[in-house]
Short mmCIF file of all heavy atoms in Angstrom, two decimals:
data_model
loop_
_atom_site.label_atom_id
_atom_site.label_comp_id
_atom_site.label_asym_id
_atom_site.label_seq_id
_atom_site.Cartn_x
_atom_site.Cartn_y
_atom_site.Cartn_z
N CYS A 31 -1.12 -17.58 11.94
CA CYS A 31 -1.41 -16.24 11.44
C CYS A 31 -1.08 -16.15 9.95
O CYS A 31 -1.86 -15.62 9.16
CB CYS A 31 -0.63 -15.22 12.23
SG CYS A 31 -0.93 -13.51 11.71
N LEU A 32 0.07 -16.67 9.57
CA LEU A 32 0.48 -16.65 8.17
C LEU A 32 -0.54 -17.38 7.30
O LEU A 32 -0.94 -16.89 6.24
CB LEU A 32 1.86 -17.28 8.02
CG LEU A 32 2.38 -17.45 6.58
CD1 LEU A 32 2.54 -16.10 5.91
CD2 LEU A 32 3.70 -18.22 6.58
N ALA A 33 -0.97 -18.56 7.75
CA ALA A 33 -1.93 -19.33 6.97
C ALA A 33 -3.24 -18.57 6.80
O ALA A 33 -3.85 -18.57 5.71
CB ALA A 33 -2.19 -20.68 7.66
N ALA A 34 -3.69 -17.88 7.86
CA ALA A 34 -4.92 -17.11 7.78
C ALA A 34 -4.80 -15.95 6.80
O ALA A 34 -5.73 -15.65 6.04
CB ALA A 34 -5.30 -16.59 9.17
N LEU A 35 -3.64 -15.29 6.80
CA LEU A 35 -3.43 -14.18 5.89
C LEU A 35 -3.44 -14.66 4.44
O LEU A 35 -4.04 -14.02 3.56
CB LEU A 35 -2.10 -13.49 6.20
CG LEU A 35 -1.97 -12.86 7.60
CD1 LEU A 35 -0.62 -12.18 7.74
CD2 LEU A 35 -3.09 -11.87 7.86
N VAL A 36 -2.79 -15.77 4.18
CA VAL A 36 -2.74 -16.30 2.82
C VAL A 36 -4.13 -16.74 2.37
O VAL A 36 -4.54 -16.50 1.23
CB VAL A 36 -1.72 -17.45 2.72
CG1 VAL A 36 -1.78 -18.10 1.34
CG2 VAL A 36 -0.31 -16.93 2.99
N ARG A 37 -4.88 -17.36 3.27
CA ARG A 37 -6.25 -17.77 2.92
C ARG A 37 -7.10 -16.57 2.52
O ARG A 37 -7.86 -16.61 1.55
CB ARG A 37 -6.93 -18.50 4.09
CG ARG A 37 -6.57 -19.95 4.23
CD ARG A 37 -7.57 -20.68 5.12
NE ARG A 37 -7.72 -20.06 6.42
CZ ARG A 37 -6.95 -20.32 7.47
NH1 ARG A 37 -5.98 -21.21 7.35
NH2 ARG A 37 -7.16 -19.73 8.64
N SER A 38 -6.96 -15.48 3.25
CA SER A 38 -7.78 -14.29 2.95
C SER A 38 -7.36 -13.65 1.63
O SER A 38 -8.19 -13.09 0.92
CB SER A 38 -7.70 -13.28 4.09
OG SER A 38 -6.39 -12.80 4.25
N ALA A 39 -6.08 -13.76 1.27
CA ALA A 39 -5.61 -13.22 -0.01
C ALA A 39 -5.99 -14.14 -1.16
O ALA A 39 -6.11 -13.69 -2.31
CB ALA A 39 -4.10 -13.02 0.02
N ALA A 40 -6.17 -15.41 -0.88
CA ALA A 40 -6.63 -16.42 -1.85
C ALA A 40 -5.83 -16.42 -3.15
O ALA A 40 -6.38 -16.25 -4.23
CB ALA A 40 -8.12 -16.22 -2.14
N PRO A 41 -4.52 -16.64 -3.08
CA PRO A 41 -3.73 -16.72 -4.32
C PRO A 41 -4.15 -17.92 -5.16
O PRO A 41 -4.47 -18.99 -4.62
CB PRO A 41 -2.30 -16.86 -3.81
CG PRO A 41 -2.44 -17.46 -2.45
CD PRO A 41 -3.70 -16.89 -1.88
N GLN A 42 -4.14 -17.73 -6.48
CA GLN A 42 -4.58 -18.78 -7.39
C GLN A 42 -3.43 -19.22 -8.30
O GLN A 42 -2.56 -18.42 -8.65
CB GLN A 42 -5.74 -18.27 -8.26
CG GLN A 42 -6.95 -17.80 -7.48
CD GLN A 42 -7.61 -18.91 -6.70
OE1 GLN A 42 -7.89 -19.98 -7.24
NE2 GLN A 42 -7.86 -18.67 -5.41
N ALA A 43 -3.46 -20.47 -8.69
CA ALA A 43 -2.42 -21.01 -9.57
C ALA A 43 -2.35 -20.21 -10.86
O ALA A 43 -3.38 -19.87 -11.46
CB ALA A 43 -2.71 -22.48 -9.88
N GLY A 44 -1.13 -19.88 -11.27
CA GLY A 44 -0.92 -19.14 -12.51
C GLY A 44 -0.92 -17.64 -12.35
O GLY A 44 -0.55 -16.92 -13.29
N GLU A 45 -1.34 -17.13 -11.20
CA GLU A 45 -1.35 -15.68 -10.98
C GLU A 45 0.07 -15.13 -10.86
O GLU A 45 0.97 -15.80 -10.37
CB GLU A 45 -2.09 -15.34 -9.69
CG GLU A 45 -3.58 -15.31 -9.80
CD GLU A 45 -4.21 -14.69 -8.57
OE1 GLU A 45 -3.93 -15.17 -7.45
OE2 GLU A 45 -4.99 -13.73 -8.72
N ASN A 46 0.22 -13.87 -11.28
CA ASN A 46 1.47 -13.15 -11.07
C ASN A 46 1.35 -12.36 -9.77
O ASN A 46 0.46 -11.53 -9.64
CB ASN A 46 1.74 -12.18 -12.23
CG ASN A 46 1.90 -12.89 -13.55
OD1 ASN A 46 2.65 -13.85 -13.65
ND2 ASN A 46 1.19 -12.43 -14.57
N ILE A 47 2.23 -12.64 -8.84
CA ILE A 47 2.18 -12.01 -7.53
C ILE A 47 3.47 -11.24 -7.29
O ILE A 47 4.57 -11.76 -7.51
CB ILE A 47 2.01 -13.05 -6.40
CG1 ILE A 47 0.74 -13.88 -6.60
CG2 ILE A 47 2.00 -12.36 -5.03
CD1 ILE A 47 -0.56 -13.09 -6.52
N LEU A 48 3.34 -10.00 -6.83
CA LEU A 48 4.47 -9.20 -6.40
C LEU A 48 4.55 -9.25 -4.89
O LEU A 48 3.59 -8.90 -4.20
CB LEU A 48 4.31 -7.75 -6.87
CG LEU A 48 5.33 -6.73 -6.32
CD1 LEU A 48 6.75 -7.08 -6.75
CD2 LEU A 48 4.96 -5.31 -6.77
N GLU A 49 5.70 -9.71 -4.38
CA GLU A 49 5.94 -9.72 -2.94
C GLU A 49 7.12 -8.81 -2.64
O GLU A 49 8.20 -8.99 -3.20
CB GLU A 49 6.24 -11.13 -2.43
CG GLU A 49 6.41 -11.17 -0.91
CD GLU A 49 6.87 -12.51 -0.37
OE1 GLU A 49 7.26 -13.39 -1.17
OE2 GLU A 49 6.86 -12.66 0.87
N ILE A 50 6.90 -7.84 -1.79
CA ILE A 50 7.95 -6.90 -1.41
C ILE A 50 8.41 -7.21 0.00
O ILE A 50 7.59 -7.31 0.92
CB ILE A 50 7.44 -5.45 -1.52
CG1 ILE A 50 7.11 -5.12 -2.98
CG2 ILE A 50 8.47 -4.47 -0.98
CD1 ILE A 50 6.32 -3.85 -3.17
N GLY A 51 9.70 -7.39 0.17
CA GLY A 51 10.24 -7.74 1.48
C GLY A 51 9.98 -9.17 1.86
O GLY A 51 9.38 -9.43 2.92
N PRO A 52 10.41 -10.15 1.06
CA PRO A 52 10.13 -11.55 1.37
C PRO A 52 10.86 -12.10 2.59
O PRO A 52 10.47 -13.12 3.14
CB PRO A 52 10.58 -12.29 0.10
CG PRO A 52 11.63 -11.40 -0.49
CD PRO A 52 11.15 -10.00 -0.20
N GLY A 53 11.93 -11.42 3.01
CA GLY A 53 12.66 -11.88 4.20
C GLY A 53 13.24 -13.26 4.01
O GLY A 53 14.03 -13.50 3.10
N THR A 54 12.82 -14.21 4.86
CA THR A 54 13.32 -15.58 4.76
C THR A 54 12.44 -16.46 3.88
O THR A 54 12.69 -17.66 3.76
CB THR A 54 13.43 -16.22 6.15
OG1 THR A 54 12.14 -16.23 6.77
CG2 THR A 54 14.41 -15.44 7.03
N GLY A 55 11.38 -15.88 3.31
CA GLY A 55 10.58 -16.61 2.33
C GLY A 55 9.38 -17.36 2.87
O GLY A 55 8.85 -18.23 2.17
N VAL A 56 8.91 -17.03 4.06
CA VAL A 56 7.77 -17.79 4.59
C VAL A 56 6.49 -17.54 3.78
O VAL A 56 5.74 -18.48 3.49
CB VAL A 56 7.53 -17.49 6.09
CG1 VAL A 56 8.67 -18.03 6.92
CG2 VAL A 56 7.33 -16.01 6.34
N MET A 57 6.24 -16.29 3.41
CA MET A 57 5.10 -15.99 2.55
C MET A 57 5.37 -16.46 1.13
O MET A 57 4.49 -17.01 0.45
CB MET A 57 4.82 -14.48 2.56
CG MET A 57 3.65 -14.05 1.69
SD MET A 57 2.06 -14.20 2.51
CE MET A 57 2.12 -12.77 3.59
N THR A 58 6.59 -16.29 0.68
CA THR A 58 6.99 -16.71 -0.66
C THR A 58 6.66 -18.19 -0.88
O THR A 58 6.11 -18.57 -1.92
CB THR A 58 8.50 -16.49 -0.86
OG1 THR A 58 8.86 -15.20 -0.42
CG2 THR A 58 8.90 -16.69 -2.31
N GLN A 59 7.01 -19.01 0.10
CA GLN A 59 6.78 -20.45 -0.04
C GLN A 59 5.30 -20.76 -0.18
O GLN A 59 4.91 -21.61 -0.99
CB GLN A 59 7.36 -21.18 1.18
CG GLN A 59 7.30 -22.70 1.05
CD GLN A 59 8.13 -23.20 -0.12
OE1 GLN A 59 9.32 -22.92 -0.21
NE2 GLN A 59 7.48 -23.92 -1.04
N ARG A 60 4.47 -20.08 0.60
CA ARG A 60 3.02 -20.31 0.52
C ARG A 60 2.49 -19.92 -0.87
O ARG A 60 1.62 -20.61 -1.42
CB ARG A 60 2.28 -19.49 1.58
CG ARG A 60 2.68 -19.81 3.02
CD ARG A 60 1.96 -20.99 3.56
NE ARG A 60 2.36 -21.27 4.94
CZ ARG A 60 1.52 -21.71 5.87
NH1 ARG A 60 0.25 -21.91 5.59
NH2 ARG A 60 1.96 -21.96 7.10
N LEU A 61 3.01 -18.84 -1.42
CA LEU A 61 2.57 -18.40 -2.73
C LEU A 61 3.01 -19.38 -3.82
O LEU A 61 2.26 -19.69 -4.75
CB LEU A 61 3.11 -17.00 -3.02
CG LEU A 61 2.61 -15.90 -2.08
CD1 LEU A 61 3.38 -14.60 -2.33
CD2 LEU A 61 1.11 -15.67 -2.25
N LEU A 62 4.23 -19.86 -3.70
CA LEU A 62 4.73 -20.86 -4.65
C LEU A 62 3.93 -22.16 -4.54
O LEU A 62 3.59 -22.79 -5.55
CB LEU A 62 6.22 -21.12 -4.42
CG LEU A 62 7.16 -19.96 -4.76
CD1 LEU A 62 8.57 -20.26 -4.26
CD2 LEU A 62 7.18 -19.68 -6.26
N ASP A 63 3.62 -22.56 -3.31
CA ASP A 63 2.82 -23.77 -3.10
C ASP A 63 1.44 -23.65 -3.74
O ASP A 63 0.84 -24.66 -4.15
CB ASP A 63 2.67 -24.05 -1.60
CG ASP A 63 3.97 -24.51 -0.95
OD1 ASP A 63 4.91 -24.89 -1.67
OD2 ASP A 63 4.05 -24.46 0.30
N ALA A 64 0.93 -22.41 -3.82
CA ALA A 64 -0.38 -22.18 -4.44
C ALA A 64 -0.30 -22.18 -5.97
O ALA A 64 -1.33 -22.08 -6.63
CB ALA A 64 -0.96 -20.86 -3.95
N GLY A 65 0.92 -22.27 -6.51
CA GLY A 65 1.09 -22.31 -7.96
C GLY A 65 1.25 -20.95 -8.60
O GLY A 65 1.09 -20.81 -9.82
N CYS A 66 1.59 -19.94 -7.80
CA CYS A 66 1.74 -18.57 -8.33
C CYS A 66 3.13 -18.37 -8.95
O CYS A 66 4.09 -19.06 -8.62
CB CYS A 66 1.56 -17.55 -7.21
SG CYS A 66 -0.06 -17.62 -6.41
N ASN A 67 3.19 -17.40 -9.84
CA ASN A 67 4.46 -16.90 -10.34
C ASN A 67 4.81 -15.68 -9.50
O ASN A 67 4.10 -14.68 -9.53
CB ASN A 67 4.35 -16.51 -11.82
CG ASN A 67 3.99 -17.69 -12.69
OD1 ASN A 67 4.63 -18.73 -12.63
ND2 ASN A 67 2.93 -17.54 -13.48
N VAL A 68 5.87 -15.77 -8.74
CA VAL A 68 6.18 -14.76 -7.73
C VAL A 68 7.38 -13.92 -8.14
O VAL A 68 8.43 -14.46 -8.50
CB VAL A 68 6.46 -15.42 -6.36
CG1 VAL A 68 6.76 -14.36 -5.30
CG2 VAL A 68 5.29 -16.30 -5.93
N THR A 69 7.20 -12.61 -8.08
CA THR A 69 8.31 -11.66 -8.20
C THR A 69 8.54 -11.10 -6.81
O THR A 69 7.67 -10.43 -6.26
CB THR A 69 7.98 -10.52 -9.18
OG1 THR A 69 7.79 -11.06 -10.49
CG2 THR A 69 9.12 -9.50 -9.22
N ALA A 70 9.69 -11.42 -6.23
CA ALA A 70 10.01 -11.01 -4.87
C ALA A 70 11.16 -10.01 -4.89
O ALA A 70 12.18 -10.26 -5.54
CB ALA A 70 10.38 -12.22 -4.02
N ILE A 71 10.98 -8.89 -4.20
CA ILE A 71 12.00 -7.84 -4.16
C ILE A 71 12.54 -7.73 -2.75
O ILE A 71 11.80 -7.41 -1.82
CB ILE A 71 11.40 -6.50 -4.63
CG1 ILE A 71 10.88 -6.65 -6.06
CG2 ILE A 71 12.46 -5.40 -4.56
CD1 ILE A 71 10.15 -5.44 -6.58
N GLU A 72 13.82 -8.00 -2.61
CA GLU A 72 14.46 -7.99 -1.29
C GLU A 72 15.65 -7.04 -1.31
O GLU A 72 16.52 -7.14 -2.17
CB GLU A 72 14.91 -9.40 -0.90
CG GLU A 72 15.66 -9.47 0.42
CD GLU A 72 14.87 -8.89 1.59
OE1 GLU A 72 13.72 -9.35 1.83
OE2 GLU A 72 15.39 -7.96 2.24
N PHE A 73 15.69 -6.13 -0.36
CA PHE A 73 16.76 -5.13 -0.29
C PHE A 73 18.01 -5.66 0.41
O PHE A 73 19.14 -5.35 0.01
CB PHE A 73 16.25 -3.89 0.44
CG PHE A 73 17.26 -2.78 0.56
CD1 PHE A 73 17.63 -2.05 -0.55
CD2 PHE A 73 17.84 -2.49 1.78
CE1 PHE A 73 18.57 -1.03 -0.45
CE2 PHE A 73 18.78 -1.47 1.89
CZ PHE A 73 19.14 -0.74 0.77
N ASP A 74 17.82 -6.46 1.44
CA ASP A 74 18.94 -6.94 2.24
C ASP A 74 19.72 -8.00 1.46
O ASP A 74 19.18 -9.06 1.11
CB ASP A 74 18.42 -7.51 3.56
CG ASP A 74 19.53 -7.78 4.56
OD1 ASP A 74 20.42 -8.60 4.25
OD2 ASP A 74 19.51 -7.18 5.65
N SER A 75 21.00 -7.75 1.22
CA SER A 75 21.80 -8.66 0.38
C SER A 75 21.95 -10.03 1.02
O SER A 75 22.01 -11.05 0.31
CB SER A 75 23.18 -8.05 0.13
OG SER A 75 23.87 -7.82 1.35
N ARG A 76 21.99 -10.11 2.35
CA ARG A 76 22.14 -11.41 3.01
C ARG A 76 20.88 -12.25 2.83
O ARG A 76 20.96 -13.45 2.54
CB ARG A 76 22.46 -11.21 4.49
CG ARG A 76 23.81 -10.55 4.75
CD ARG A 76 23.90 -9.95 6.13
NE ARG A 76 22.92 -8.88 6.32
CZ ARG A 76 22.80 -8.15 7.43
NH1 ARG A 76 23.60 -8.40 8.46
NH2 ARG A 76 21.89 -7.20 7.52
N LEU A 77 19.73 -11.63 2.99
CA LEU A 77 18.47 -12.36 2.79
C LEU A 77 18.27 -12.72 1.32
O LEU A 77 17.79 -13.82 1.00
CB LEU A 77 17.30 -11.53 3.30
CG LEU A 77 17.24 -11.35 4.82
CD1 LEU A 77 16.17 -10.33 5.20
CD2 LEU A 77 16.99 -12.68 5.52
N ALA A 78 18.66 -11.82 0.43
CA ALA A 78 18.55 -12.11 -1.00
C ALA A 78 19.42 -13.31 -1.36
O ALA A 78 19.03 -14.20 -2.13
CB ALA A 78 18.94 -10.89 -1.82
N GLY A 79 20.63 -13.35 -0.80
CA GLY A 79 21.52 -14.48 -1.06
C GLY A 79 20.94 -15.79 -0.53
O GLY A 79 21.04 -16.84 -1.18
N TYR A 80 20.35 -15.72 0.65
CA TYR A 80 19.72 -16.90 1.24
C TYR A 80 18.59 -17.41 0.34
O TYR A 80 18.47 -18.63 0.09
CB TYR A 80 19.18 -16.55 2.62
CG TYR A 80 18.29 -17.60 3.23
CD1 TYR A 80 18.83 -18.74 3.83
CD2 TYR A 80 16.90 -17.46 3.21
CE1 TYR A 80 18.01 -19.72 4.38
CE2 TYR A 80 16.08 -18.42 3.76
CZ TYR A 80 16.63 -19.55 4.34
OH TYR A 80 15.81 -20.52 4.89
N LEU A 81 17.76 -16.49 -0.16
CA LEU A 81 16.64 -16.89 -1.02
C LEU A 81 17.13 -17.43 -2.36
O LEU A 81 16.55 -18.38 -2.90
CB LEU A 81 15.71 -15.70 -1.24
CG LEU A 81 14.95 -15.21 0.00
CD1 LEU A 81 14.22 -13.91 -0.30
CD2 LEU A 81 13.97 -16.27 0.49
N ARG A 82 18.19 -16.84 -2.91
CA ARG A 82 18.73 -17.34 -4.18
C ARG A 82 19.20 -18.79 -4.02
O ARG A 82 18.98 -19.62 -4.89
CB ARG A 82 19.90 -16.47 -4.64
CG ARG A 82 19.50 -15.32 -5.55
CD ARG A 82 20.69 -14.70 -6.24
NE ARG A 82 21.59 -14.07 -5.29
CZ ARG A 82 21.50 -12.80 -4.89
NH1 ARG A 82 20.52 -12.04 -5.38
NH2 ARG A 82 22.35 -12.29 -4.03
N GLU A 83 19.83 -19.06 -2.90
CA GLU A 83 20.30 -20.43 -2.65
C GLU A 83 19.12 -21.37 -2.43
O GLU A 83 19.08 -22.48 -2.98
CB GLU A 83 21.21 -20.42 -1.43
CG GLU A 83 21.75 -21.79 -1.04
CD GLU A 83 22.61 -21.74 0.22
OE1 GLU A 83 23.14 -20.65 0.55
OE2 GLU A 83 22.73 -22.79 0.88
N LYS A 84 18.17 -20.94 -1.63
CA LYS A 84 17.02 -21.79 -1.29
C LYS A 84 16.17 -22.13 -2.51
O LYS A 84 15.67 -23.26 -2.64
CB LYS A 84 16.16 -21.09 -0.22
CG LYS A 84 14.96 -21.90 0.24
CD LYS A 84 14.21 -21.15 1.34
CE LYS A 84 13.02 -21.96 1.82
NZ LYS A 84 12.28 -21.26 2.92
N TYR A 85 16.02 -21.15 -3.41
CA TYR A 85 15.13 -21.34 -4.55
C TYR A 85 15.88 -21.37 -5.88
O TYR A 85 15.35 -20.97 -6.91
CB TYR A 85 14.08 -20.23 -4.57
CG TYR A 85 13.13 -20.27 -3.39
CD1 TYR A 85 13.24 -19.35 -2.35
CD2 TYR A 85 12.16 -21.26 -3.31
CE1 TYR A 85 12.37 -19.39 -1.27
CE2 TYR A 85 11.29 -21.31 -2.23
CZ TYR A 85 11.40 -20.38 -1.21
OH TYR A 85 10.54 -20.44 -0.14
N ALA A 86 17.10 -21.88 -5.84
CA ALA A 86 17.95 -21.88 -7.03
C ALA A 86 17.31 -22.58 -8.22
O ALA A 86 17.52 -22.18 -9.37
CB ALA A 86 19.30 -22.53 -6.70
N ASN A 87 16.52 -23.59 -7.97
CA ASN A 87 15.94 -24.38 -9.07
C ASN A 87 14.44 -24.17 -9.23
O ASN A 87 13.76 -25.00 -9.82
CB ASN A 87 16.24 -25.86 -8.84
CG ASN A 87 17.73 -26.16 -8.80
OD1 ASN A 87 18.48 -25.68 -9.66
ND2 ASN A 87 18.17 -26.93 -7.81
N VAL A 88 13.94 -23.06 -8.71
CA VAL A 88 12.50 -22.79 -8.77
C VAL A 88 12.25 -21.71 -9.83
O VAL A 88 12.52 -20.53 -9.60
CB VAL A 88 11.96 -22.34 -7.39
CG1 VAL A 88 10.47 -22.02 -7.48
CG2 VAL A 88 12.22 -23.41 -6.35
#
Side-chain angles (χ1 to χ4, degrees):
C31 181
L32 175 62
L35 298 182
V36 173
R37 279 197 305 273
S38 63
Q42 302 296 310
E45 279 191 305
N46 298 311
I47 302 296
L48 171 62
E49 183 187 10
I50 296 168
T54 60
V56 292
M57 180 84 76
T58 312
Q59 186 62 56
R60 300 277 180 144
L61 297 171
L62 292 170
D63 289 345
C66 300
N67 299 308
V68 181
T69 297
I71 300 174
E72 177 56 56
F73 181 72
D74 191 299
S75 60
R76 294 161 298 182
L77 291 171
Y80 170 79
L81 293 172
R82 269 194 295 270
E83 179 182 337
K84 181 177 180 179
Y85 294 106
N87 299 314
V88 179

